[in-house]
Amino acid sequence: EYNAALARWRKHPRYTTTIARHFVEDVHMWFRTSFAQLASDIQSEAGDDLKSLQPAWFEKTVIPYFRRSLSNLEGHHNAEDRSIFPRVHRKYPETAEVCEKLERDHQQLHPLESIAFNPKYDIEMRANAVIEFYNFLDDHLRRE
C-alpha cells in the first residue's frame, strides 16, 4: 500500500518541485530508520522478555538516542502543524480532515514519550512505549 502510494506521488508534477519529495523520501525515511533502530535494539537486547532489560543499559543506550531523534521529530512536527498543514489545507480544502488527523497523530505520541522517559515506570513498560512509539510513527509517516 505504501509503495503504491509512493509510486503515485512520484508521478505528480509537483512532487519534485516542492518540499514533498524531500519530506517523504529523506526526512520521513530518516525518522522511520532512526526509531526502527531503537525498537530493534530493544528487541535484540531483550529477546522475548522486555522485563529482562537492564535499566542501566536502557538509560545509557536507548534514552539518549530516543531524546535526540525525538528532538528532531518535534521540530519537524511543529513545522507541519504550524506551517505546512495549514498551507495545504488553505490551498486544498478537501484535505482538511486528513490534515487534522495527522495533527492529532502528533499529539498521540506524547504519552508514549512520557512513559519512555520516566524511570518511575518499570523497564518493560518503558521499552514497550518506545516500540509502540515507533510502530505508531511508522504508520503515521506512511499515511502522511
Side-chain angles (χ1 to χ4, degrees):
E1 181 180 327
Y2 172 74
N3 289 334
L6 183 57
R8 285 191 308 274
W9 255 109
R10 287 178 173 156
K11 291 177 186 175
H12 193 282
R14 293 183 49 99
Y15 184 68
T16 58
T17 61
T18 65
I19 199 167
R21 192 217 55 81
H22 171 64
F23 266 33
V24 172
E25 296 193 36
D26 298 332
V27 176
H28 288 178
M29 187 57 66
W30 184 86
F31 288 129
R32 191 176 288 115
T33 302
S34 295
F35 288 101
Q37 185 62 55
L38 278 172
S40 177
D41 289 350
I42 290 168
Q43 291 166 328
S44 293
E45 185 73 15
D48 291 334
D49 184 14
L50 292 177
K51 290 178 188 176
S52 71
L53 287 172
Q54 295 299 311
W57 174 86
F58 189 83
E59 290 295 335
K60 182 180 176 188
T61 306
V62 174
I63 291 299
Y65 192 79
F66 186 63
R67 189 178 309 280
R68 281 191 305 275
S69 297
L70 187 58
S71 176
N72 289 321
L73 181 65
E74 287 175 347
H76 173 76
H77 283 172
N78 285 337
E80 288 177 334
D81 294 346
R82 293 180 184 156
S83 179
I84 295 167
F85 293 161
R87 197 172 338 142
V88 168
H89 177 231
R90 279 192 305 275
K91 189 164 183 161
Y92 306 99
E94 68 275 14
T95 66
E97 189 176 321
V98 171
C99 289
E100 289 168 9
K101 168 69 172 130
L102 293 171
E103 287 182 48
R104 283 192 307 272
D105 281 0
H106 295 168
Q107 299 308 311
Q108 287 183 268
L109 291 168
H110 296 307
L112 295 170
E113 297 164 21
S114 295
I115 293 168
F117 287 128
N118 192 336
K120 291 182 181 179
Y121 290 105
D122 66 49
I123 196 65
E124 179 182 26
M125 195 168 183
R126 294 178 73 198
N128 196 53
V130 174
I131 294 167
E132 284 183 41
F133 183 98
Y134 161 67
N135 290 332
F136 187 87
L137 179 65
D138 185 57
D139 176 65
H140 167 79
L141 292 173
R142 289 176 186 278
R143 289 181 285 111
E144 202 170 59

